[in-house]
Amino acid sequence: GAGVSQSPSNKVTEKGKDVELRCDPISGHTALYWYRQSLGQGLEFLIYFQGNSAPDKSGLPSDRFSAERTGGSVSTLTIQRTQQEDSAVYLCASRPGTGVVDTQYFGPGTRLTVL
Amino acid sequence: QKEVEQDPGPLSVPEGAIVSLNCTYSNSAFQYFMWYRQYSRKGPELLMYTYSSGNKEDGRFTAQVDKSSKYISLFIRDSQPSDSATYLCAMSGDMRFGAGTRLTVKP
């Protein structure tokens, strides 16, 4: 079956512009996560959705970052007024439910470059 | 101090070598310990997970957890060039990842 998909795969933008990154989770997965991966920094947790609500948004680095999820499915991560330090790979993952050991399935990521 | 510390490497070994990858953590509330493998330009994929202290084996891979020392390891026996990837440890309750260790296995 289809895995987690993300779009675009690559995004180059100018400093100060807004960007939207999209995640399509595996159908039926209730939990959805956004992470940021910078070189040598590992995966930095950004936000977690359970259904359409976000019980944990503690990882969002600033108020320029926001995310929403609609219909318990697609999620969009928006970065306003992008800065060069926002350049990274943004990964989305989904998992079936709330079980702690449910496997997270990752998408291929969106590589964001802010010039 | 980061909650999860992992040496980013890079680590280069000859084919057939035993590889040891390690992470330390500070949060004693972590309950589950996972290892993910990430090939270049791909998302991470779950390799193994463990819950209790001790060893768990899956083919050439062994995951080890020492909760008293807050230390986890992944061993790869008879390493192959196809094992070349970045290996990330992760911990749950809250999903927290290490920086990832980039491994290259040379033929």
Side-chain angles (χ1 to χ4, degrees):
Chain A
V4 178
S5 61
Q6 292 185 247
S7 60
S9 55
N10 283 283
K11 177 72 176 178
V12 180
T13 190
E14 294 179 347
K15 179 181 171 181
K17 300 280 190 182
D18 297 352
V19 295
E20 280 191 356
L21 312 180
R22 177 186 169 109
C23 173
D24 283 85
I26 293 173
S27 177
H29 281 195
T30 60
L32 186 148
Y33 299 76
W34 282 99
Y35 296 90
R36 179 167 69 176
Q37 187 173 34
S38 304
L39 192 63
Q41 297 298 313
L43 266 66
E44 176 188 3
F45 168 79
L46 297 178
I47 188 169
Y48 156 60
F49 286 93
Q50 184 58 41
N52 289 337
S53 63
D56 188 354
K57 52 179 78 172
S58 61
L60 294 178
S62 76
D63 59 7
R64 296 186 295 105
F65 287 72
S66 63
E68 65 175 11
R69 189 179 184 194
T70 55
S73 180
V74 172
S75 177
T76 302
L77 177 69
T78 302
I79 309 173
Q80 295 178 310
R81 305 181 302 282
T82 52
Q83 304 294 311
Q84 288 183 333
E85 61 262 27
D86 299 335
S87 297
V89 176
Y90 289 81
L91 288 158
C92 172
S94 70
R95 69 181 194 188
T98 57
V100 177
V101 290
D102 286 347
T103 299
Q104 282 197 343
Y105 295 86
F106 281 84
T110 293
R111 186 173 298 271
L112 175 66
T113 303
V114 182
L115 302 177
Chain B
Q1 181 191 9
K2 291 182 181 178
E3 283 189 290
V4 182
E5 298 277 0
Q6 182 178 10
D7 185 344
L11 181 63
S12 181
V13 301
E15 183 175 354
I18 296 175
V19 176
S20 172
L21 305 168
N22 311 293
C23 289
T24 59
Y25 62 96
S26 57
N27 188 345
S28 58
F30 289 138
Q31 299 173 308
Y32 294 89
F33 306 89
M34 289 149 277
W35 286 95
Y36 282 79
R37 178 174 60 196
Q38 185 177 23
Y39 291 113
S40 181
R41 296 192 175 261
K42 302 284 188 184
E45 56 181 351
L46 181 67
L47 197 57
M48 296 183 72
Y49 78 87
T50 56
Y51 172 65
S52 57
S53 284
N55 294 352
K56 181 176 181 179
E57 197 171 310
D58 184 1
R60 297 185 294 110
F61 299 86
T62 300
Q64 190 175 79
V65 174
D66 182 346
K67 286 188 175 181
S68 62
S69 301
K70 297 189 180 67
Y71 188 88
I72 69 169
S73 300
L74 178 71
F75 298 96
I76 308 174
R77 290 186 301 281
D78 188 25
S79 55
Q80 303 295 309
S82 58
D83 296 329
S84 298
T86 295
Y87 290 81
L88 301 107
C89 61
M91 321 237 167
S92 186
D94 300 329
M95 284 299 290
R96 294 293 181 264
F97 284 80
T101 300
R102 196 172 78 203
L103 171 68
T104 301
V105 180
K106 296 186 174 181

